C-alpha cells in the first residue's frame, strides 16, 4: 500500500535539498561536454567524476579539494604511465601501480580524497588503455576541467544570496535550542520523566548543529571570496564566527540544564510552579538572539540591534525569575538549573555582542540577585 505521508516527506526533503541535485547534475553534464567537445577527449570519464568528487566535499572546502583532486590525478597518471611502459598491463602492474602510488601519496602527506583519487586514477589508466595514442594528458586535463566546473557551478547556484544558507542554519539552530528549552519546561510542569529524558537525548545531538554552523561559515566565506562585488560582506562572517564559540557554550549549558531537568522530574517533591515559565522565557531569549545574528548576516543593522536589545531584555527577565526560584531548602537539581540559566544568559549576551564581557557578567549577576562588588 502506498503511503502518501512518505511521498510528502520525500517531497519535503527534495524541496529543502534541491541545491545538491542541481549542482551535481549541472556540473557533471557541463564537465563531460567540455572535456569531450572542447578538449577532445574520446573518454572524458574523469571530468564529471572530478566534478562530483569536489561537489561531494563540504561547502567551504571545495577549492582546496579541487586542487587535491587535480594533483592526485597528476600523480596517479604519472606513476601509472611509467609502470605500464616498464611492465606492460598485467596483474603485477596493478599491484605495483597501487603500491607505489599510495606509498608516494602517503609520503608527501596526502590523505582522504587526494590519496584515493591518485590511486583510482592510476588504476583506471592501467585497466582501461586510451583509445588513441596521444601526447595530450587527457585524464589530467579532465580532472582540471571537472574541478573548475564544480567550483563555478557551486558558486553560480548560490551567487545571488551567498549568505542565505548560513542565515538559515543560524535560525534553525536557535529555534532548535529554544524548542529544547520549551520541551524541558513542559516535562517539568507535567513531572514527566520520560519526556525530560527525551529532551536530554535531543540536547546531546545539538553538537551537530554547531558543526553545521561552522561548516556554513566556511562555505559562506568561500562563496564571498569568489564573488568580487560581495567581498565587503566578509566582515559579517567574522562577527558570526566569533559568536559561534558562544553558541557552542550555550549548547553545552542547555545540555547540562536538560540533564538536571531529568533528575528534578524524578524527585518526589514537585518543582517550583514558576520554573517552567522561567525556562520558556529563556527560550524566547534564545529565539531573539538567533534573530539578531540572522539579521546581522542579512545586513539589516536596525533589525539586528532591535533583536539584540530584545534578547538582552528577555534574557535578564529569565535570570531574575530564576533568582527568585532559588530559596533556602531547594534541591541540588534546581540549583543546577538556576546555574545553567545564568551561564546560558551570559553566553547568549556575549554571542549577540550587546556589551563587553565584564558588563555582561555584572548585569546578569545583578539580575540573579548576587552581590556584585
Amino acid at each position: 500500500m502506498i503511503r502518501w505521508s512518505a511521498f510528502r516527506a520525500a517531497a519535503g526533503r527534495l524541496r529543502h535539498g534541491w541545491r545538491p541535485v542541481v549542482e551535481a547534475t549541472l556540473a557533471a553534464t557541463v564537465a563531460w561536454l567540455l572535456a569531450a567537445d572542447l578538449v577532445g577527449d574520446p573518454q572524458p570519464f574523469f571530468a564529471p567524476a572530478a566534478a562530483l568528487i569536489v561537489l561531494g566535499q563540504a561547502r567551504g572546502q571545495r577549492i582546496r579539494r579541487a586542487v587535491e583532486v587535480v594533483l592526485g590525478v597528476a600523480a596517479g597518471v604519472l606513476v601509472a604511465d611509467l609502470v605500464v611502459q616498464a611492465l606492460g598491463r598485467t596483474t603485477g602492474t596493478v599491484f605495483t601501480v597501487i603500491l607505489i602510488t599510495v606509498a608516494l601519496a602517503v609520503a608527501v602527506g596526502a590523505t582522504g580524497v587526494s590519496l584515493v583519487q591518485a590511486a583510482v586514477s592510476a588504476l583506471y589508466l592501467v585497466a582501461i588503455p586510451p583509445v588513441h595514442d596521444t601526447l595530450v594528458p587527457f585524464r589530467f586535463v579532465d580532472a582540471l576541467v571537472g574541478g573548475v566546473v564544480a567550483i563555478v557551478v557551486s558558486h553560480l547556484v548560490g551567487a545571488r544570496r551567498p549568505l542565505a544558507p548560513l542565515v538559515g542554519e543560524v535560525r534553525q539552530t536557535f529555534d532548535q535550542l529554544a524548542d529544547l528549552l520549551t520541551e524541558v519546561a513542559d516535562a517539568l510542569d507535567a513531572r514527566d520523566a520520560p519526556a525530560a529524558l527525551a529532551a536530554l537525548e535531543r540536547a546531546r545531538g545539538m553538537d551537530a548543529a554547531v558543526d553545521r554552523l561552522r561548516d556554513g561559515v566556511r562555505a559562506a566565506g568561500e562563496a564571498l571570496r569568489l564573488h568580487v562585488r560581495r567581498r565587503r560582506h566578509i566582515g559579517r562572517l567574522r562577527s558570526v564566527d566569533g559568536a559561534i564559540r558562544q553558541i557552542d557554550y550555550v549548547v553545552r549549558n542547555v545540555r547540562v540544564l536538560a540533564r538536571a531537568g531529568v533528575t528534578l522530574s524524578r524527585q518526589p517533591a514537585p518543582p517550583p510552579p514558576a520554573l517552567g515559565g522561567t525556562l520558556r522565557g529563556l527560550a524566547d531569549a534564545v529565539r531573539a538572539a538567533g534573530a539578531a545574528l540572522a539579521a546581522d548576516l542579512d545586513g539589516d543593522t536596525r533589525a539586528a540591534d532591535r533583536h539584540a536589545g530584545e534578547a538582552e531584555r528577555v534574557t535578564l527577565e529569565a535570570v531574575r525569575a530564576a533568582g527568585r526560584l532559588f530559596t533556602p531548602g531547594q534541591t541540588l537539581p534546581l540549583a543546577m538549573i538556576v546555574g545553567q540559566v545564568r551561564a546560558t544568559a551570559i553566553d547568549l549576551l556575549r554571542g549577540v555582542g550587546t556589551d563587553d564581557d565584564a558588563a555582561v557578567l555584572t548585569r546578569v549577576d545583578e539580575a540573579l540577585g548576587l552581590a556584585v562588588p
Side-chain angles (χ1 to χ4, degrees), residues 83-84 87-97 126:
V83 174
V84 168
L87 302 180
R89 300 180 188 277
T90 65
T91 302
T93 304
V94 173
F95 174 84
T96 305
V97 164
V126 173

Side-chain angles (χ1 to χ4, degrees), residues 14-307:
L14 188 60
R15 184 172 61 254
H16 294 291
W18 61 270
R19 183 170 178 157
V21 177
V22 174
E23 286 181 343
T25 304
L26 187 59
T29 303
V30 172
W32 177 282
L33 292 174
L34 288 177
D37 296 339
L38 186 62
V39 179
D41 186 355
Q43 293 179 327
F45 166 79
F46 274 116
L52 294 175
I53 289 171
V54 173
L55 288 176
Q57 307 308 308
R59 298 185 63 82
Q61 303 177 19
R62 291 178 175 176
I63 295 178
R64 180 166 62 89
R65 293 305 189 192
V67 173
E68 288 183 358
V69 167
V70 173
L71 293 179
V73 169
V77 169
L78 176 61
V79 170
D81 268 337
L82 293 176
V83 174
V84 168
Q85 289 179 20
L87 302 180
R89 300 180 188 277
T90 65
T91 302
T93 304
V94 173
F95 174 84
T96 305
V97 164
I98 298 300
L99 176 63
I100 295 176
T101 302
V102 174
L104 285 175
V106 171
V108 299
T111 59
V113 173
S114 54
L115 190 152
V116 172
Q117 187 62 33
V120 170
S121 302
L123 181 61
Y124 184 85
L125 190 146
V126 173
I128 303 177
V131 177
H132 304 291
D133 291 332
T134 176
L135 296 177
V136 178
F138 280 128
R139 285 156 181 169
F140 174 76
V141 175
D142 284 353
L144 180 61
V145 168
V148 172
V149 167
I151 296 299
V152 171
V153 168
S154 176
H155 170 58
L156 290 178
V157 170
R160 184 178 178 186
R161 296 187 63 199
L163 295 180
L166 179 58
V167 172
E169 286 290 350
V170 168
R171 294 185 185 279
Q172 182 177 3
T173 299
F174 278 85
D175 285 345
Q176 288 175 350
L177 274 172
D179 291 343
L180 184 55
L181 285 167
T182 302
E183 287 182 23
V184 175
D186 293 342
L188 291 175
D189 283 347
R191 301 184 65 186
D192 187 342
L197 187 59
L200 175 58
E201 288 300 317
R202 279 196 60 193
R204 288 170 174 161
M206 283 301 299
D207 288 335
V210 177
D211 290 339
R212 287 194 298 271
L213 277 179
R214 292 194 177 100
D215 291 341
V217 169
R218 285 193 292 267
E222 183 179 80
L224 289 177
R225 283 190 293 272
L226 289 171
H227 201 300
V228 176
R229 289 185 301 172
R230 297 182 186 271
R231 286 182 182 175
R232 65 184 184 278
H233 300 322
I234 290 180
R236 300 182 199 168
L237 288 185
R238 295 194 183 99
S239 63
V240 173
D241 195 24
I244 288 178
R245 184 183 302 107
Q246 302 304 139
I247 297 170
D248 189 16
Y249 295 154
V250 169
V251 167
R252 299 181 193 184
N253 296 334
V254 172
R255 183 164 57 241
V256 176
L257 187 153
R259 188 179 298 116
V262 172
T263 304
L264 188 59
S265 68
R266 294 172 174 172
Q267 298 294 306
L275 179 58
T278 299
L279 296 183
R280 292 186 186 91
L282 189 60
D284 291 338
V286 168
R287 288 193 176 90
L293 285 177
D296 187 32
L297 278 172
D298 274 334
D300 191 343
T301 305
R302 183 175 299 178
D305 291 342
R306 184 176 70 253
H307 289 304

Side-chain angles (χ1 to χ4, degrees), residues 3-15:
R3 293 178 177 267
W4 290 108
S5 59
F7 279 106
R8 286 195 295 270
R13 287 191 294 270
L14 188 60
R15 184 172 61 254

